[in-house]
Amino acid sequence: MCFILDNINKIPQNANLWLVYLLSYINEDNTLEEISKIVYCIDFLYSKLELKTNELTYLVGMTRKLLEKIRMFYKEDGSYRSSLRWSPLDETRYALFAINLLEDLIQDIIFYYSVSELNPIKKIFESIEDIEKTFKLIKSVK
């Protein structure tokens, strides 16, 4: 739904409620595919909102939780794995998509809301454990 709304340049009237409801979908069983979809929707909704204190606190906590969940799926070969449904390359793409949006979201939250609970992002994809291994994995697939 967020993808469609984004493409027709519309937002829901109760977007703040949508964001809170969306954040409630983050749990221990989320796959990287689900995380990437959730993060896309967070990015869409967040950019349209002025957050209240409780919403901001919830978003900051869930942003940290999502990054930690993604880190848990990292494997020694540089890939990310959360499910047998997708290939290691697809799963890694889901992880990179989510990391990119989450790092951007962190910078935005720090800038616009002066949040000190998040560490500033110093370089893109700094949340990847071993960027060289991940790069080699992606480059090796033709």
Side-chain angles (χ1 to χ4, degrees), residues 24-42:
S24 74
Y25 278 97
I26 300 167
N27 62 55
E28 300 306 315
D29 297 327
N30 293 128
T31 64
L32 287 165
E33 175 195 19
E34 293 166 338
I35 290 170
S36 69
K37 291 175 182 178
I38 289 169
V39 171
Y40 173 84
C41 293
I42 291 170

Side-chain angles (χ1 to χ4, degrees), residues 7-19:
N7 280 290
I8 62 173
N9 218 12
K10 302 279 184 192
I11 61 169
Q13 287 182 346
N14 52 353
N16 289 64
L17 183 59
W18 278 44
L19 179 65

Side-chain angles (χ1 to χ4, degrees), residues 4-86:
I4 292 168
L5 288 172
D6 195 13
N7 280 290
I8 62 173
N9 218 12
K10 302 279 184 192
I11 61 169
Q13 287 182 346
N14 52 353
N16 289 64
L17 183 59
W18 278 44
L19 179 65
V20 171
Y21 189 65
L22 173 65
L23 294 173
S24 74
Y25 278 97
I26 300 167
N27 62 55
E28 300 306 315
D29 297 327
N30 293 128
T31 64
L32 287 165
E33 175 195 19
E34 293 166 338
I35 290 170
S36 69
K37 291 175 182 178
I38 289 169
V39 171
Y40 173 84
C41 293
I42 291 170
D43 185 64
F44 165 72
L45 292 168
Y46 168 81
S47 66
K48 314 288 188 257
L49 301 174
E50 176 104 14
L51 297 176
K52 297 176 182 86
T53 303
N54 60 333
E55 295 164 343
L56 179 61
T57 301
Y58 193 27
L59 178 59
V60 167
M62 287 299 150
T63 299
R64 293 163 90 183
K65 184 175 183 173
L66 284 168
L67 279 174
E68 185 55 39
K69 283 185 64 56
I70 294 168
R71 280 189 200 105
M72 289 176 23
F73 293 128
Y74 180 79
K75 303 300 178 202
E76 282 299 312
D77 67 353
S79 69
Y80 288 82
R81 299 291 293 153
S82 67
S83 166
L84 297 176
R85 181 174 177 201
W86 302 103

Side-chain angles (χ1 to χ4, degrees), residues 88-106:
L89 180 62
D90 286 335
E91 290 256 290
T92 301
R93 287 178 176 150
Y94 289 137
L96 294 177
F97 177 79
I99 288 169
N100 185 33
L101 290 179
L102 287 168
E103 287 181 347
D104 187 51
L105 178 65
I106 288 169

